[in-house]
Amino acid sequence: MSEVHHFSYGLVTPVPAYLMSFIGSLLGLLCTTRARASTGRSRASWLALAALAIGGTGIWVMHFIAMLGFTIEGHEIRYNVPLTLLSCATSIVVVAIGLFIVGFGGPRAPVIITGGVIMGAGVASMHYTGMTAMNMSGHIGYRPAVVALSVLIALVAATAALWFSIRVKGMWATTGAAAIMGVAVTGMHYTGMAAMQITMHAGMPEPTGARPVDFLLPLMGGVGGVSIILLIIIAMAPSEEEIRVEAAMQERIRSRRQAEARSTTPPAEPAVPPQSRSAGEWFDGGPGR
C-alpha cells in the first residue's frame, strides 16, 4: 500500500472545491425557481441551465478541484482526457434527467424518488469515472463498504437537491439549501476518495495523459465564463413571483378580451321559413280573390 494525501496543499483545494459546489448549486436552484413559474419551452430552458450549473459547476468542477489536492508520495498522476470529459458530460446529463423528471412530473414523492435515484446513481458513476481516468504506475482498489456509503450519500444528496428544486422559495432559503447541497456533494466526493486503496508497482512505465495543471487554466476560464453568463441571465430575468404575476395578468387580459368579443358579436337573425300556398291559392291567383 502506498501513502496517499487528499489535502496535499492544505485548505487550498477543499475550500475552493466547496465554494464551487455551493455556487453551482445556488445558480442551479435560482434557475429552478424560474422553471417552476414557467411552462413549456421556457421551463425546459431554465431546467437545462440548472443542469449545467449544478452538474457542471456544482459537481464536476468541485470534483476536479478536489482532485488537485490528491497526490501519491513519490509518484506522478496523469489524467485520461476522454474519460475526464466523459465524466463531465455524465454529470450534466444525469442532473438534467433528474430535473426534467421532477420539473415536468410534479412534486409527488414517487417522482422525486425516481429522479433522485437516477440522478444519484449518475453522480456516483461520474465520480468513479473521474477516478478511473487517473493514470499512475500502480493499481487502484476500493473498499466495498466505503464505496456503498458514498453511493448512498449520492442518492440522498440527489433526492434532497430535487426536493429543494421544487420546494425552496426566497433568497435566504435558497442560499441555505445550496450550502447544504455543497456539503453533501463534497462529502460524497471525499467519502469516495477514502474508499481508494493504491498499490504502486516498481518497474511499471511512466503514466501517460494530461497533468492536473493542464486542466486548471481552461477549467477556471470556462467555469468563470459560464458562471458570469448564468448570473447575467438570472439578474435580467424576472423572479418566480414576477413570472407568476405576469402570467396571471395575461390570463385576465385574455379572459376579458374573450368576454368583450362575445358581448359585441351581433345576434344572428332567425331564419324565416318560406311561406307555403294552399292549392286554392295557386289556382285562384292568390289570397283575397
Side-chain angles (χ1 to χ4, degrees):
M1 301 295 295
S2 301
E3 185 176 357
V4 300
H5 302 279
H6 296 286
F7 307 99
S8 300
Y9 308 105
L11 296 178
V12 172
T13 51
V15 171
Y18 172 78
L19 289 177
M20 292 309 302
S21 183
F22 166 73
I23 292 171
S25 300
L26 180 60
L27 290 173
L29 290 177
L30 289 175
C31 289
T32 59
T33 60
R34 272 71 175 179
R36 290 197 302 252
S38 305
T39 58
R41 184 177 298 179
S42 179
R43 175 176 292 185
S45 299
W46 281 116
L47 291 176
L49 288 176
L52 179 62
I54 297 175
T57 303
I59 297 176
W60 185 81
V61 172
M62 174 271 143
H63 166 86
F64 181 77
I65 292 177
M67 290 299 294
L68 293 178
F70 177 78
T71 59
I72 303 173
E73 188 173 354
H75 297 277
E76 185 179 18
I77 299 176
R78 296 292 185 97
Y79 287 86
N80 183 309
V81 174
L83 276 180
T84 303
L85 296 178
L86 175 62
S87 68
C88 178
T90 300
S91 179
I92 296 173
V93 169
V94 296
V95 171
I97 292 173
L99 290 175
F100 272 75
I101 288 175
V102 173
F104 287 96
R108 295 172 297 157
V111 175
I112 297 175
I113 293 173
T114 299
V117 169
I118 294 174
M119 183 172 160
V123 169
S125 299
M126 177 283 305
H127 174 80
Y128 287 102
T129 300
M131 292 166 66
T132 304
M134 292 189 300
N135 293 330
M136 61 190 73
S137 301
H139 174 72
I140 302 177
Y142 295 97
R143 300 179 180 90
V146 184
V147 170
L149 178 59
S150 70
V151 174
L152 178 61
I153 294 174
L155 293 174
V156 174
T159 304
L162 293 178
W163 187 87
F164 287 144
S165 71
I166 60 175
R167 294 293 185 184
V168 174
K169 294 183 179 181
M171 191 61 196
W172 284 111
T174 303
T175 302
I180 295 173
M181 289 172 61
V183 172
V185 171
T186 52
M188 182 269 163
H189 170 83
Y190 285 111
T191 301
M193 294 298 294
M196 296 179 66
Q197 293 178 313
I198 309 295
T199 304
M200 304 305 294
H201 303 288
M204 287 187 66
E206 290 295 320
T208 59
R211 297 175 301 167
V213 72
D214 293 336
F215 283 122
L216 190 57
L217 290 179
L219 176 67
M220 291 301 137
V223 171
V226 170
S227 299
I228 291 173
I229 291 172
L230 282 175
L231 283 173
I232 293 174
I233 292 174
I234 293 171
M236 295 179 63
S239 65
E240 177 185 7
E241 186 62 27
E242 290 171 340
I243 294 175
R244 294 187 186 279
V245 170
E246 183 179 357
M249 185 179 299
Q250 292 294 336
E251 180 61 28
R252 288 197 296 269
I253 293 174
R254 185 162 43 250
S255 300
R256 180 176 297 178
R257 286 177 177 174
Q258 291 176 352
E260 291 176 351
R262 287 194 297 267
S263 63
T264 56
T265 301
E269 296 183 359
V272 179
Q275 295 182 352
S276 59
R277 305 175 72 177
S278 65
E281 291 174 336
W282 283 106
F283 288 103
D284 295 338
R289 288 193 58 181

